[in-house]
């Protein structure tokens, strides 16, 4: 009885007016940190790292100031947080049995800190004050502004008229934002957000949505990245249908979608044949990933059950690779040794597949956790969030087939986007409410 009375008194304390005023401040600070972090995820990791800490610390302050601990209970959606915590905790645990102590280990710890942060937030319970529509507009606006900034740096006239616009865009993007993989991942996440907006907004907002989506689609149409282009094209087609359906023009949406699909296929064939060397036959035949994966699998066979730890796995992978003629010829020579930005660090070479990377590091436990990372993400979430969450998971899973967490697939982007897409408030707007009534 005493315990019940104490809890009741604490709950009364947290709903008192002075505490409500404090909660408004802590919650507002956490919201600002979150939206700033969402916008910063298109930038290189060094700009994101400190914002992650601010976001995580502000979450902790807001969690305790709001008294959510008094209402905490276990729900099945929290298993996803446990998986992320394990993916973070396995690194220092396996390191106890490693022989190598590479500087690379600390870099991975910095990147995978996000697994710990979002794992904790998922288990404790995320703030419901984030509005999905606000987050979606932040992502669409940031992505469109980033693309516009690159085009302005190139020169609008040059971008429109120069047939080498893909090359010019690539050079400026690398200088300002880095790899096409990270950049395109952000753009495609913005397109997923646009689909959410189209599904849950007024007609006026639907017309405004066309502007950022057109800008984002333009960048994805000229990218040198195959995964980004194909993913973006698919999301645009889904978005066209959703947009017309939201405008109560479903039949027209099918017609326009069909026309766009035809135009997209013709453009894609043109881009493959004459513009983007990544799509050309010789590049596909000599694609370095098949040689990288061969070396990675041969390395993993040495310790298939328990893995080798982050440092030993990378060290052994690099040693196997540098002793493999095909690996050197098709990957290391032209992508690493001849790269003018290479700083001499051999350990930048990696398996280019997230599941293989986790297998090398943690064996079958790593592969199991990787699968659970995707399988458990939609469990127990609101139905209004399921479409965007599943689309987002598809975008990340496709990229994880060709990249690893910590290289061009940051755990921070994964944790932030999926956590917010699962938990952000999806209060229906006026249009949806009118339809319901």
């Amino acid at each position: 009885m005493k315990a019940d009375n104490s809890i009741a008194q604490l709950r009364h304390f947290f709903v008192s007016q002075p505490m409500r005023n404090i909660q408004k401040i802590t919650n507002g600070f956490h919201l600002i940190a979150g939206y700033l972090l969402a916008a910063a995820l298109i930038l290189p990791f060094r700009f994101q790292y400190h914002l992650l800490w601010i976001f995580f610390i502000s979450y902790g302050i807001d969690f305790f100031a709001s008294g959510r601990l008094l209402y905490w209970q276990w729900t099945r959606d929290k298993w996803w947080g446990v998986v992320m915590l394990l993916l973070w905790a396995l690194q220092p645990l396996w390191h106890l049995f490693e022989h190598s102590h590479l500087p690379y280990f600390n870099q991975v710890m910095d990147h995978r800190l996000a697994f710990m942060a979002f794992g904790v937030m998922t288990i404790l319970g995320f703030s419901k004050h984030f509005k999905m529509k606000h987050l979606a507009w932040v992502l669409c606006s940031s992505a469109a502004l980033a693309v516009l900034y690159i085009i302005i740096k190139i020169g609008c006239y040059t971008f429109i008229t120069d047939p080498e616009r893909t090359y010019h865009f690539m050079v400026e993007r690398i200088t300002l934002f880095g790899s096409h993989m990270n950049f395109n991942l952000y753009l495609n996440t913005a397109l997923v957000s646009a689909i959410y907006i189209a599904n849950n907004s007024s007609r006026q907002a639907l017309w405004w949505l066309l502007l950022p989506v057109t800008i984002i689609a333009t960048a994805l149409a000229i990218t040198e990245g195959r995964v980004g282009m194909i993913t973006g094209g698919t999301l645009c087609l889904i978005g066209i249908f959703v947009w017309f359906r939201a405008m109560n023009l479903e039949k027209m949406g099918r017609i326009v979608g069909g026309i766009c699909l035809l135009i997209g296929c013709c453009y894609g064939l043109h881009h493959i044949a004459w513009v983007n060397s990544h799509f050309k036959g010789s590049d596909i035949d000599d694609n370095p990933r098949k040689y990288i994966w061969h070396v990675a699998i041969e390395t993993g066979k040495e310790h298939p059950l328990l893995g080798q730890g982050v440092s030993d796995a990378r060290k052994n992978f690099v040693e196997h690779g540098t002793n493999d003629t095909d690996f050197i010829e098709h990957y290391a020579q032209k992508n690493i040794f001849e790269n003018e930005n290479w700083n001499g660090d051999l350990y930048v070479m990696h398996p280019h597949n997230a599941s293989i990377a986790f297998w090398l590091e943690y064996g079958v436990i790593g592969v199991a956790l990787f699968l659970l990372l995707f399988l458990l993400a939609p469990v127990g979430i609101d139905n209004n969030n399921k479409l965007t969450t599943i689309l987002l998971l598809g975008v990340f899973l496709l990229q994880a087939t060709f990249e690893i967490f910590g290289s061009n697939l940051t755990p921070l982007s994964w944790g932030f986007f999926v956590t917010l897409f699962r938990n952000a408030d999806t209060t229906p707007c006026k249009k949806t409410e009118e339809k319901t009534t």
Side-chain angles (χ1 to χ4, degrees):
M1 288 295 293
K2 287 183 179 180
D4 291 340
N5 288 335
S6 298
I7 292 173
Q9 289 174 0
L10 281 171
R11 287 178 176 173
H12 180 74
F13 169 74
F14 279 108
V15 297
S16 63
Q17 191 57 48
M19 280 307 299
R20 284 182 180 275
N21 294 333
I22 293 172
Q23 289 161 13
K24 287 179 182 179
I25 296 170
T26 59
N27 184 252
F29 185 66
H30 182 52
L31 289 177
I32 292 169
Y35 292 129
L36 283 175
L37 183 58
L41 289 177
I42 199 168
L43 299 171
F45 180 71
R46 64 182 182 274
F47 295 104
Q48 305 161 8
Y49 184 74
H50 298 295
L51 278 173
L52 170 62
W53 273 109
I54 293 170
F55 181 70
F56 185 51
I57 292 168
S58 66
Y59 166 84
I61 295 170
D62 181 60
F63 178 80
F64 287 105
S66 62
R68 294 206 301 272
L69 181 62
L70 298 172
Y71 300 92
W72 185 90
Q73 58 182 343
W74 180 265
T75 51
R76 62 195 182 108
D77 61 296
K78 299 185 189 300
W79 283 112
W80 186 67
V82 173
V83 170
M84 284 200 289
L85 267 182
L86 286 173
L87 276 174
W88 172 77
L90 288 180
Q91 182 173 340
L93 180 62
W94 255 241
H95 194 57
L96 297 174
F97 307 97
E98 289 189 84
H99 301 291
S100 309
H101 300 277
L102 306 177
Y104 163 77
F105 178 88
N106 293 325
Q107 297 170 19
V108 177
M109 281 296 287
D110 284 344
H111 279 274
R112 294 188 185 174
L113 175 69
F115 282 142
M116 182 277 291
F118 289 102
V120 168
M121 286 189 269
T122 299
I123 293 170
L124 291 181
F126 202 73
S127 171
K128 288 291 183 182
H129 289 89
F130 280 95
K131 299 289 185 183
M132 186 63 201
K133 58 186 177 182
H134 295 164
L135 174 65
W137 277 112
V138 166
L139 296 177
C140 287
S141 303
S142 301
L145 288 171
V147 173
L148 281 176
Y149 187 68
I150 295 174
I151 293 173
I152 291 169
K153 291 284 286 185
I154 296 169
C156 293
Y157 181 77
T158 302
F159 180 80
I160 294 169
T161 59
D162 195 334
E164 294 295 322
R165 65 179 66 84
T166 292
Y167 173 76
H168 295 311
F169 192 91
M170 177 187 72
V171 171
E172 289 295 338
R173 189 210 61 242
I174 290 172
T175 303
L176 297 167
F177 299 103
S179 159
H180 70 267
M181 297 290 284
N182 273 330
F183 190 80
N184 291 345
L185 178 66
Y186 192 92
L187 299 191
N188 281 313
T189 303
L191 288 180
V192 174
S193 302
I195 291 170
Y196 173 84
I197 294 170
N199 242 341
N200 297 274
S201 296
S202 63
R203 289 201 173 199
Q204 184 180 7
L206 289 173
W207 286 111
W208 279 107
L209 183 63
L210 293 177
L211 179 60
V213 168
T214 302
I215 295 169
I216 293 165
T218 300
L220 290 169
I222 63 160
T223 181
E224 76 275 23
R226 290 162 290 194
V227 174
M229 176 184 284
I230 294 168
T231 306
T234 304
L235 290 173
C236 283
L237 286 173
I238 295 171
I240 287 168
F241 178 74
V242 170
W243 192 88
F244 276 96
R245 188 182 65 180
M247 296 288 284
N248 296 321
L249 299 168
E250 196 165 329
K251 289 183 179 178
M252 186 178 292
R254 291 173 186 169
I255 295 169
V256 173
I259 294 170
C260 289
L261 177 61
L262 180 62
I263 293 171
C265 289
C266 294
Y267 173 81
L269 290 171
H270 165 76
H271 204 73
I272 289 167
W274 289 287
V275 179
N276 195 329
S277 64
H278 284 197
F279 282 101
K280 292 181 180 177
S282 60
D283 190 77
I284 293 173
D285 294 338
D286 295 334
N287 193 306
R289 282 189 175 87
K290 64 181 181 181
Y291 304 104
I292 295 167
W293 292 341
H294 170 74
V295 168
I297 291 169
E298 291 301 311
T299 306
K301 286 178 180 177
E302 295 177 356
H303 301 278
L305 294 178
L306 294 177
Q308 305 166 46
V310 167
S311 285
D312 283 357
R314 182 58 63 91
K315 183 174 181 291
N316 294 337
F317 168 76
V318 170
E319 286 179 355
H320 279 76
T322 50
N323 289 318
D324 185 284
T325 305
D326 288 330
F327 182 94
I328 293 292
E329 180 183 348
H330 296 283
Y331 171 52
Q333 188 62 43
K334 59 184 177 182
N335 290 285
I336 306 295
F337 302 147
E338 295 177 6
N339 187 336
E340 61 182 18
N341 295 316
W342 184 50
N343 62 3
D345 181 12
L346 285 171
Y347 300 107
V348 297
M349 294 186 278
H350 61 81
H352 283 77
N353 180 283
S355 59
I356 293 176
F358 283 130
W359 176 55
L360 285 172
E361 294 170 0
Y362 311 126
V364 292
I365 297 173
V367 176
L369 289 176
F370 171 76
L371 293 174
L372 289 172
L373 194 67
F374 285 88
L375 292 174
L376 293 180
V379 172
I381 64 172
D382 190 283
N383 286 332
N384 291 330
N385 282 359
K386 276 195 174 171
L387 174 63
T388 46
T389 302
I390 290 169
L391 286 175
L392 185 68
L393 291 175
V395 170
F396 272 92
L397 184 58
L398 186 60
Q399 186 134 329
T401 307
F402 304 101
E403 278 297 333
I404 66 169
F405 282 102
S407 177
N408 288 316
L409 183 62
T410 64
L412 175 52
S413 295
W414 160 266
F416 185 84
F417 289 139
V418 181
T419 301
L420 261 72
F421 275 47
R422 291 170 87 245
N423 294 284
D425 180 38
T426 55
T427 304
C429 62
K430 284 185 179 180
K431 185 187 80 165
T432 312
E433 289 170 352
E434 286 167 8
K435 281 184 179 179
T436 308
T437 53

